[in-house]
């Protein structure tokens, strides 16, 4: 077999720079400036200095301001998508996942928000249904960022997961290389673990409750549009690119402002004074008898300052078009209801796609757990919130809907689903659970 366990898929290598760009822009100004010339090229005039322009570039970079727009956009989109929690139905044996969905104790709703955030940031996330080798009451979900999904087969019978990270040795920490290889050999799921490039023990074939072998790799890979294994372009990369363009323009803009305010004293036909500044009297003596001495300040005209300012404003519009406009509050105060929904209709395509994909991926991963514990996977249903603006139902609308149900115009399931969409009924309870609380027999549709 050619290559090593750390070999990366060609499609991974094609996207890795995009993921680094997205993460740096999300982390903000410190991360972007730490990258140095990767995001801010050094002006060619700086390089002729004795130190190669290091000090001038440091001042040039320090004056520049990076626009923190990507991270707030992602946080805002997560808030909009999870404005109301997704409705998740699971078999009784899986209810423990609500409070502990991951090995480190992350609740299911928090895991769902993490999935959404990763899909918006890098456009890719993986969920693996896993369990302790000795067996446990309930498996859990292990999340993998796009950088950890390093190799795969389009037929989904082979995956390599990078589990490298810091490991503690007493009071100190060191970087540790580790990998997990998932295979489907002769219709059976097997797992291999590697410490660096060396395999740890033999391959393990996980089984479902009762000892039955697993016939599918319980790994779900999600993208911003579907559950494709191939990485896709991050949905908000336009916002990140616009933020970097503004950063470069801002560096030039502030450099010009600085230079235009730093006028230089020029002495003509005279000797340079020992000092300049307020309170210093300059008396010039002609260096030549036939030429009168003169002194004046000269500085850049700053003719490009206005053009740079306009270019920065243009890039702000580009960032808004790429996704940040969703949270533009300029018109929000004067809009509500249908007007707000219409204005957002063309701007929520990314939100809808990510909300659907994250829900589909979570549903598929939970169904893998259902298979592992011997439950019915079809009982797992995840319905995402697709109402990204206020969709609250008025009391009058709720009363009218009840009359339609009581009149036999709709089923009680349809009635309850409308109450959930109208944010009156809880998304976390089924119709039977809700009606039981208020004394309604759902099988008869009558009040007790």
């Amino acid at each position: 077999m050619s290559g090593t366990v750390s070999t990366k898929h060609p499609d991974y290598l094609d996207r890795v720079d995009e993921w680094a760009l997205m993460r740096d822009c999300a982390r903000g100004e410190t991360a972007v400036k730490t990258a140095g010339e990767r995001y801010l090229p050094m002006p060619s005039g700086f390089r002729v200095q004795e130190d190669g322009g290091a000090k001038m570039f440091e001042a040039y970079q320090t004056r520049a301001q990076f626009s923190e727009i990507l991270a707030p956009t992602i946080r805002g989109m997560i808030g909009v998508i999870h404005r109301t929690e997704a409705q998740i139905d699971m078999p009784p044996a899986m209810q423990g996942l609500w409070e502990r969905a991951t090995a480190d104790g992350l609740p299911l709703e928090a895991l769902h928000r993490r999935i959404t955030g990763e899909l918006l940031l890098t456009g890719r996330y993986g969920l693996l249904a896993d369990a302790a080798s000795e067996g446990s009451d309930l498996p859990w979900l292990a999340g993998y960022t796009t950088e950890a999904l390093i190799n795969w087969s389009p037929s989904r019978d082979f995956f390599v997961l990078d589990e490298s990270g810091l490991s503690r040795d007493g009071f100190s920490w060191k970087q540790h290389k580790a990998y997990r290889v998932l295979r489907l050999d002769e219709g059976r799921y097997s797992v291999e673990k590697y410490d660096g490039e060396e395999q740890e023990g033999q391959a393990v074939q996980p089984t479902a409750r009762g000892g039955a072998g697993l016939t599918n790799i319980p790994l779900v890979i999600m993208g911003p549009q579907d559950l494709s294994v191939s990485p896709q372009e991050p949905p908000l990369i336009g916002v990140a690119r616009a933020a970097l363009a503004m950063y470069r323009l801002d560096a030039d803009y502030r450099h010009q402002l600085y230079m235009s305010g730093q006028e230089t004293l020029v002495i003509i036909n005279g000797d340079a004074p020992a000092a300049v500044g307020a309170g210093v009297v300059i008396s010039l003596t002609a260096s030549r008898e036939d030429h009168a001495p003169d002194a004046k300040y000269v500085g850049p005209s700053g003719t490009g300052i206005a053009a740079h300012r306009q270019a920065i404003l243009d890039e702000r519009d580009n960032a808004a078009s790429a996704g940040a406009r969703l949270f533009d509050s300029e018109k929000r105060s004067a809009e509500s209801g249908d007007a707000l929904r219409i204005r957002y209709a063309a701007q929520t395509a990314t939100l809808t796609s990510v909300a659907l994909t994250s829900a589909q991926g979570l549903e598929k991963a939970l169904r893998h757990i259902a298979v592992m514990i011997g439950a019915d996977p079809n009982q797992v249903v995840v319905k995402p919130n697709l109402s990204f603006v206020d969709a609250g139902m008025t009391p009058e609308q709720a009363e009218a809907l009840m009359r339609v149900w009581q009149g036999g115009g709709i089923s009680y399931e349809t009635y309850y689903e409308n109450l959930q969409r109208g944010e009156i009924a809880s998304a976390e309870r089924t119709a039977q659970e809700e009606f039981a609380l208020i004394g309604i027999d759902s099988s008869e549709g009558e009040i007790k």
Side-chain angles (χ1 to χ4, degrees):
M1 180 182 294
S2 62
T4 64
V5 69
S6 59
T7 299
K8 297 177 175 59
H9 193 284
D11 290 347
Y12 178 100
L13 299 175
D14 288 342
R15 295 288 185 186
V16 67
D17 288 341
E18 290 180 349
W19 301 330
L21 180 151
M22 294 297 294
R23 292 209 184 273
D24 286 341
C25 289
R27 291 186 182 110
E29 182 169 300
T30 299
V32 170
K33 289 188 174 181
T34 299
E37 291 190 65
R38 179 176 182 180
Y39 301 125
L40 183 64
M42 180 188 293
S44 57
F46 291 3
R47 299 189 187 278
V48 300
Q49 303 297 315
E50 292 183 359
D51 63 351
K55 291 189 178 299
M56 292 185 70
F57 180 75
E58 181 182 0
Y60 174 71
Q61 187 184 50
T62 300
R63 284 191 294 268
Q65 181 177 350
F66 176 75
S67 296
E68 309 275 2
I69 57 176
L70 180 61
T73 297
I74 291 175
R75 287 195 296 268
M77 285 187 167
I78 293 172
V80 169
I81 290 176
H82 294 277
R83 188 177 64 88
T84 58
E85 288 299 331
Q87 180 182 345
I88 303 177
D89 298 328
M90 295 182 292
M94 296 175 59
Q95 293 301 311
L97 292 172
W98 278 110
E99 299 301 325
R100 188 181 180 87
T102 65
D104 58 352
L106 196 67
L108 189 59
E109 292 179 355
L111 175 61
H112 196 185
R113 288 193 292 272
R114 177 181 293 179
I115 295 169
T116 301
E118 284 293 320
L119 291 181
L120 289 167
L121 179 59
T122 64
R124 199 168 185 237
Y125 195 68
L127 280 181
L128 175 68
D130 199 9
S133 58
E134 300 81 9
S136 61
D137 293 336
L138 187 63
W140 60 79
L141 295 174
Y144 290 87
T145 63
T146 187
E147 294 90 345
L149 304 167
I150 64 172
N151 209 347
W152 61 89
S153 167
S155 57
R156 301 174 190 265
D157 60 359
F158 168 77
F159 296 95
V160 180
L161 308 176
D162 187 347
E163 297 183 340
S164 303
L166 293 173
S167 61
R168 185 174 62 85
D169 181 11
F171 292 99
S172 62
W173 295 84
K174 63 180 180 179
Q175 191 69 27
H176 178 247
K177 292 290 185 182
Y179 303 90
R180 182 186 296 241
V181 179
L182 314 178
R183 299 182 190 272
L184 203 59
D185 292 327
E186 298 180 354
R188 288 289 300 271
Y189 168 49
S190 66
V191 180
E192 302 166 10
K193 292 186 177 181
Y194 286 77
D195 184 355
E197 297 291 338
E198 298 296 326
Q199 184 173 349
E200 291 183 329
Q202 299 297 317
V204 176
Q205 290 187 332
T207 59
R209 188 167 296 174
L214 299 178
T215 58
N216 291 295
I217 297 177
L219 175 68
V220 180
I221 297 181
M222 293 162 271
Q225 299 175 2
D226 52 40
L227 303 183
S228 171
V229 296
S230 298
Q232 304 170 37
E233 184 176 73
L236 296 180
I237 195 168
V239 177
R241 287 170 175 163
L244 289 175
M246 283 189 282
Y247 171 53
R248 299 180 188 110
L249 287 167
D250 190 82
D252 290 341
Y253 173 70
R254 295 179 187 276
H255 182 63
Q256 287 193 72
L257 287 176
Y258 170 77
M259 294 302 294
S260 64
Q262 303 298 311
E263 295 184 331
T264 301
L265 178 64
V266 178
I267 306 296
I268 303 174
N269 297 324
D271 297 326
V276 295
V280 176
V281 177
I282 298 176
S283 178
L284 298 178
T285 302
S287 58
R288 294 176 56 182
E289 295 182 357
D290 55 340
H291 289 80
D294 190 14
K296 63 183 66 177
Y297 279 96
V298 298
S301 62
T303 55
I305 291 178
H308 272 86
R309 182 177 178 81
Q310 183 59 50
I312 292 172
L313 295 177
D314 292 342
E315 284 300 331
R316 289 188 184 276
D317 289 339
N318 291 338
S321 299
R325 180 177 293 150
L326 185 65
F327 308 101
D328 180 9
S329 60
E330 182 177 347
K331 298 181 180 180
R332 186 173 299 184
S333 60
E335 294 181 338
S336 62
D338 292 339
L340 190 60
R341 294 187 186 94
I342 292 172
R343 187 166 78 86
Y344 279 9
Q347 299 172 14
T348 56
T350 296
L351 296 180
T352 301
S353 175
V354 169
L356 286 170
T357 303
S358 64
Q360 291 167 359
L362 181 58
E363 179 182 90
K364 190 172 182 179
L366 290 172
R367 288 185 174 185
H368 282 306
I369 289 183
V371 171
M372 294 169 70
I373 65 173
D376 182 5
N378 293 321
Q379 291 184 14
V380 176
V381 178
V382 179
K383 295 181 180 179
N385 165 50
L386 297 179
S387 177
F388 304 134
V389 293
D390 184 13
M393 185 180 293
T394 65
E396 293 78 12
Q397 291 172 328
E399 183 180 359
L401 185 64
M402 176 174 281
R403 287 198 298 267
V404 174
W405 168 59
Q406 291 177 333
I410 57 176
S411 67
Y412 75 89
E413 289 90 350
T414 301
Y415 167 67
Y416 188 71
E417 288 174 358
N418 277 275
L419 290 181
Q420 288 178 317
R421 283 194 292 269
E423 301 179 10
I424 292 179
S426 170
E428 298 181 1
R429 287 195 292 269
T430 65
Q432 290 85 349
E433 293 170 339
E434 182 72 23
F435 290 173
L437 291 175
I438 59 177
I440 295 180
D441 187 340
S442 62
S443 63
E444 299 178 3
E446 297 178 355
I447 300 178
K448 294 180 179 179

